[in-house]
Amino acid sequence: MPHESESAAARDARMVAAVLEWFAQAGRDLPWRGGSATPWGVLVSEIMLQQTPVVRVEPVWREWMARWPAPVDLAAAEQADAVRAWGRLGYPRRAKRLWECAGALVDRHGGVVPRTYEELVALPGIGDYTAAAVVAFAHGGRSVVLDTNVRRVIGRAWHGRALPAAHQTVGERAHAASLVPRDDAGAAEWAVASMELGALVCTARVARCDECPLARECAWLAQGRPGLDLAPRRTQPWHGTDRQVRGRVMALLRAASSPVNVTGHATLEDVEPGQLDRCLEGLLADGLIRLDDADRGTYTL
DNA sequence: TAGCCGTGGCA
DNA sequence: TTGCCAAGGCT
């Protein structure tokens, strides 16, 4: 092996070790961490945490765990109850898919959360990240957990890039995989520690480099932290969009205990009829709402 | 494969 | 105040 490769590998190992050491003293004590939660609890937390901050997830997660402590419990519930209990976490399709996931766990896996990436990624609502996360955090197994936090940490510290590209590349994934410790426990620790570093220190907007265990080695910091302001992020439109109207319809139906005449409802008077109809069609197609009475125009979850 | 899908807090 | 963005997945 060439001397350069040995040196790079040693440097990688040193940086990984520094992140693990940092996490041991700075990591948060979250209820789904540290082996105190069941694999099902970990899975539920991962779905809830998709694009949603920890502080908003935690109370809802506790309610779900008390109400549906195992997949079989959620599978026996009504989809509408799952969507309602999802509350305002956002992306209610996640609630529907999690409910479907519980059913699939009962049907295909005897009500048990499987241990392999391949089995997990085949379940509703579980993609590459979540499957890898459940392998690591629910079962202590080795996987390549590559979320936006880990991508940002690696991109900055190793490559001097302010923010990750919109999509993963083969090369990026290969490099991330090469950094994962060989042993199961070390791999799982690296996953949670590198994610935590991205969540608490190496954040997207205000990086706290003075607190970072990688500050001495960080390529991005060494270059003067370039490229943060001109970051080409696609701005998410919101006001007046279908997305907003869908959210308002869902909020209305979540709060209702009986079917609601949505198109005639006072709180939606400002919405163009055409847009409201389009959103209702979309929600019906997504299986998030049901038409109760076509003549009266009433809907339910 | 871009585009789409909620929500709320913060700089 | 408002744009940014937070542990993605699906089509």
Side-chain angles (χ1 to χ4, degrees):
Chain A
M1 180 179 291
H3 177 263
E4 288 77 11
S5 297
E6 285 181 337
S7 178
R11 182 168 171 274
D12 287 351
R14 191 167 59 250
M15 292 172 72
V16 168
V19 174
L20 298 183
E21 187 178 347
W22 167 85
F23 179 77
Q25 58 93 18
R28 291 168 293 182
D29 184 21
L30 300 174
W32 46 82
R33 279 186 183 162
S36 53
T38 63
W40 167 243
V42 172
L43 190 158
V44 171
S45 79
E46 289 301 337
I47 302 290
M48 289 183 172
L49 287 163
Q50 291 168 2
Q51 305 283 285
T52 308
V54 165
V55 289
R56 287 172 51 202
V57 164
E58 189 165 341
V60 180
W61 181 84
R62 292 185 187 280
E63 290 172 20
W64 275 59
M65 288 301 98
R67 187 171 181 180
W68 300 301
V72 65
D73 301 311
L74 181 59
E78 297 291 329
Q79 177 191 305
D81 289 331
V83 172
R84 188 167 277 114
W86 195 253
R88 306 188 68 81
L89 282 183
Y91 294 134
R93 297 202 280 209
R94 291 184 296 166
K96 172 180 161 66
R97 289 181 185 139
L98 183 49
W99 177 79
E100 292 169 342
C101 181
L105 289 173
V106 170
D107 292 343
R108 305 179 205 165
H109 301 288
V112 172
V113 176
R115 306 182 72 91
T116 70
Y117 174 93
E118 288 73 20
E119 291 170 306
L120 287 162
V121 82
L123 293 165
I126 298 188
D128 170 71
Y129 160 75
T130 304
V134 170
V135 168
F137 305 146
H139 300 300
R142 187 177 188 278
S143 63
V144 181
V145 177
L146 196 53
D147 77 327
T148 188
N149 287 305
V150 180
R151 295 184 67 211
R152 189 170 56 247
V153 168
I154 295 174
R156 285 178 180 172
W158 271 266
H159 303 295
R161 299 182 191 133
L163 294 170
H167 297 286
Q168 294 180 26
T169 64
V170 173
E172 178 186 7
R173 187 163 188 85
H175 181 235
S178 76
L179 296 176
V180 177
R182 297 302 183 92
D183 62 303
D184 286 358
E189 285 177 37
W190 164 247
V192 69
S194 55
M195 285 176 60
E196 191 79 332
L197 187 64
L200 297 183
V201 174
C202 193
T203 49
R205 278 180 292 180
V206 188
R208 301 172 176 82
C209 299
D210 54 330
E211 302 174 23
C212 185
L214 298 178
R216 277 197 310 168
E217 310 266 20
C218 181
W220 184 59
L221 181 58
Q223 295 167 22
R225 316 205 306 182
L228 197 53
D229 44 355
L230 51 84
R233 307 294 262 196
R234 192 180 82 259
T235 164
Q236 304 181 35
W238 176 244
H239 184 72
T241 59
D242 285 3
R243 209 167 174 178
Q244 183 186 40
V245 172
R246 286 170 57 106
R248 292 172 65 184
V249 171
M250 291 302 294
L252 184 61
L253 295 184
R254 276 198 310 269
S257 54
S258 58
V260 178
N261 184 332
V262 174
T263 55
H265 201 272
T267 64
L268 294 171
E269 277 180 346
D270 60 307
V271 180
E272 293 286 339
Q275 184 182 28
L276 186 53
D277 286 342
R278 184 172 67 246
C279 290
L280 287 170
E281 288 299 320
L283 290 168
L284 283 169
D286 291 342
L288 286 171
I289 68 174
R290 294 180 305 171
L291 182 60
D292 172 69
D293 187 323
D295 293 333
R296 296 191 299 139
T298 52
Y299 295 83
T300 61
L301 289 183

